[in-house]
Amino acid sequence: MKYKYAWQQVILHWLSAAIIIWATFTGFYVALFDVSPQLKDWIGFFNVSLTTVFIPFFILRIWFMFRLGKPKQDKPATLATHAAEIAHMLLYINISVVLISGVLMMERDINVFNLFILPQPIDDLALTQLFNRIHIISCAILGVLVLLHILAVIKHELFGNRIMRKMWL
């Protein structure tokens, strides 16, 4: 019986966590604080490149979620476990909205680490502005969902439900 996530799921989880936390913090940092134009441009370039490269890894993560599933539980499902499943699904959906809206809001070609260029997907300014608004809102929601996810993990660990052991190699 499987009590841990598969190694592929673990690696993709921590890769996702690092990229999402970086992009969320730095994105809101340059949006909310007075930073130099050079820093703002660099973070924008880096985050667009990083998250564009991340998209196939996120798709792979979803595929593994459906293909390999979750580890078995020692205890029967409760209302809390169902709530956790819903929260995880909301995270996946919200991350998808953030990534899709991030691509569709681009008002220029997407330069990925100066290695290759993806053409601008939409050239209608009204549509790109709509996707920009969706992106900002979904990023704020993602920040809240990630914070709740981290707080739930801390709560479980403090109360003896050692759920972190499922997410290590």
Side-chain angles (χ1 to χ4, degrees):
M1 200 176 283
K2 172 178 112 166
Y3 288 99
K4 292 178 71 169
Y5 285 96
W7 67 269
Q8 300 94 330
Q9 291 171 295
V10 172
I11 290 170
L12 290 168
H13 171 270
W14 291 111
L15 175 70
S16 299
I19 291 170
I20 290 166
I21 289 169
W22 165 266
T24 302
F25 274 105
T26 59
F28 279 112
Y29 175 70
V30 298
L32 299 175
F33 295 98
D34 186 26
V35 297
S36 71
Q38 296 86 358
L39 180 61
K40 188 172 189 168
D41 288 345
W42 182 84
I43 288 176
F45 170 77
F46 186 81
N47 284 0
V48 167
S49 295
L50 182 65
T51 54
T52 300
V53 170
F54 174 62
I55 291 171
F57 291 100
F58 183 69
I59 292 167
L60 191 59
R61 183 171 181 196
I62 292 172
W63 183 81
F64 276 119
M65 176 187 69
F66 286 114
R67 174 86 167 85
L68 301 176
K70 297 180 350 181
K72 303 290 184 233
Q73 295 190 118
D74 296 331
K75 304 171 232 165
T78 64
L79 183 59
T81 55
H82 291 303
E85 288 175 6
I86 291 169
H88 280 102
M89 206 45 70
L90 287 174
L91 265 169
Y92 281 110
I93 292 167
N94 198 107
I95 294 166
S96 299
V97 171
V98 167
L99 292 171
I100 292 166
S101 64
V103 169
L104 296 178
M105 73 179 207
M106 296 302 293
E107 295 178 357
R108 63 187 180 286
D109 292 345
I110 301 168
N111 178 347
V112 181
F113 294 118
N114 290 323
L115 296 172
F116 61 93
I117 307 269
L118 298 172
Q120 176 187 5
I122 300 172
D123 64 358
D124 179 336
L125 187 59
L127 270 178
T128 58
Q129 288 175 345
L130 171 65
F131 283 113
N132 183 274
R133 284 192 296 278
I134 292 169
H135 186 71
I136 291 168
I137 293 166
S138 60
C139 284
I141 293 168
L142 180 59
V144 171
L145 290 172
V146 168
L147 180 62
L148 290 174
H149 180 68
I150 293 168
L151 290 173
V153 169
I154 292 169
K155 178 221 166 236
H156 284 292
E157 289 291 326
L158 289 176
F159 285 91
N161 184 7
R162 306 304 306 243
I163 61 173
M164 283 296 291
R165 67 177 181 227
K166 297 177 184 181
M167 198 46 78
W168 294 109
L169 295 176

